[in-house]
Amino acid sequence: MAKSGEAQTGQYLNFVPTKPMNDILQVSYRNMDSSEALSIRIREEAQKLETFFPRMTSCRVLVDAPHRHHKWGVLYHVTIELGVPAGPVVVRHEPSLHNGLQNGAEQGKHAEAALRHKDVYVAVSDAFKAARRQLQDHVRKLRREVKTKSPEVVDA
C-alpha cells in the first residue's frame, strides 16, 4: 500500500500542462517603461525553465526599478513566481547594500554585487539562475531524491 505522500508525488509528476510556456507567462514592469527586447529575453529564460519542469501552471515575472540610489543609480529588482504542483516557487532577486554599508571591510564585495543589478538584463539573468536552482530542488523533493537524516542509534 502506498503512503499518502507517495501517491501525491506520483500525481504531481504525472501532471501534464494544458498550455505552453508562452501562454502562461505574465511579464510586468513597475516604475519603468516596458521593453520588447527585455520581454523577449524573459520569454527565452522562461522557456529554459520549462526544460527542467514542464508541468508549470503559471509563470509571473515582475521587473522593478524601485528608486534611484544617489551613489549607485537604478538597481533593478526581479521577482519570479512559478506555479507548480505542491506549491509555488518564488524567487525575489534584489540587490542589498545594507550589509556592505555596515561592514566597512566587506563594502567592496556587496557594492560590486549590487552594481551588477544596474543592468536590467544581468538582473533578469541572475534571477532566472536562482529560479532554476530552486525549481531543480523542488523537483528533487517531489521525486524524493533529497537525502534525509537517518535516526541516530543510541547504544544502551
Side-chain angles (χ1 to χ4, degrees):
M1 183 172 171
K3 296 178 184 176
S4 62
E6 290 174 358
Q8 290 176 351
T9 302
Q11 175 186 8
Y12 294 140
L13 294 176
N14 293 329
F15 176 78
V16 178
T18 56
K19 296 182 180 179
M21 179 56 76
N22 287 337
D23 292 342
I24 62 173
L25 179 65
Q26 297 175 354
V27 180
S28 303
Y29 298 94
R30 185 185 302 157
N31 299 326
M32 61 183 287
D33 295 331
S34 63
S35 165
E36 186 62 32
L38 184 58
S39 295
I40 290 171
R41 172 69 69 86
I42 290 171
R43 193 173 302 115
E44 290 170 355
E45 292 284 348
Q47 286 176 345
K48 289 179 190 176
L49 287 180
E50 196 173 29
T51 62
F52 294 102
F53 191 71
R55 298 168 191 95
M56 286 184 280
T57 56
S58 67
C59 179
R60 292 186 209 108
V61 180
L62 172 67
V63 182
D64 185 16
H67 53 80
R68 295 181 71 78
H69 192 278
H70 72 281
K71 191 171 183 179
W72 290 285
V74 176
L75 299 177
Y76 294 96
H77 297 200
V78 180
T79 304
I80 302 171
E81 182 179 335
L82 303 172
V84 294
V89 174
V90 179
V91 175
R92 288 185 180 87
H93 205 65
E94 302 173 349
S96 174
L97 296 174
H98 182 69
N99 292 334
L101 294 175
Q102 284 185 344
N103 304 328
E106 296 292 321
Q107 185 174 358
K109 284 184 185 177
H110 291 283
E112 181 179 320
L115 290 178
R116 289 177 43 90
H117 289 258
K118 286 182 82 170
D119 183 3
V120 69
Y121 291 97
V122 173
V124 166
S125 177
D126 287 351
F128 272 99
K129 284 178 187 175
R132 185 171 26 251
R133 286 189 300 269
Q134 284 191 22
L135 188 60
Q136 288 172 335
D137 289 344
H138 184 76
V139 170
R140 282 189 206 104
K141 287 177 187 175
L142 286 177
R143 292 181 180 162
R144 296 187 181 272
E145 295 175 356
V146 178
K147 292 183 179 180
T148 58
K149 290 184 178 181
S150 59
E152 294 182 19
V153 177
V154 179
D155 293 331

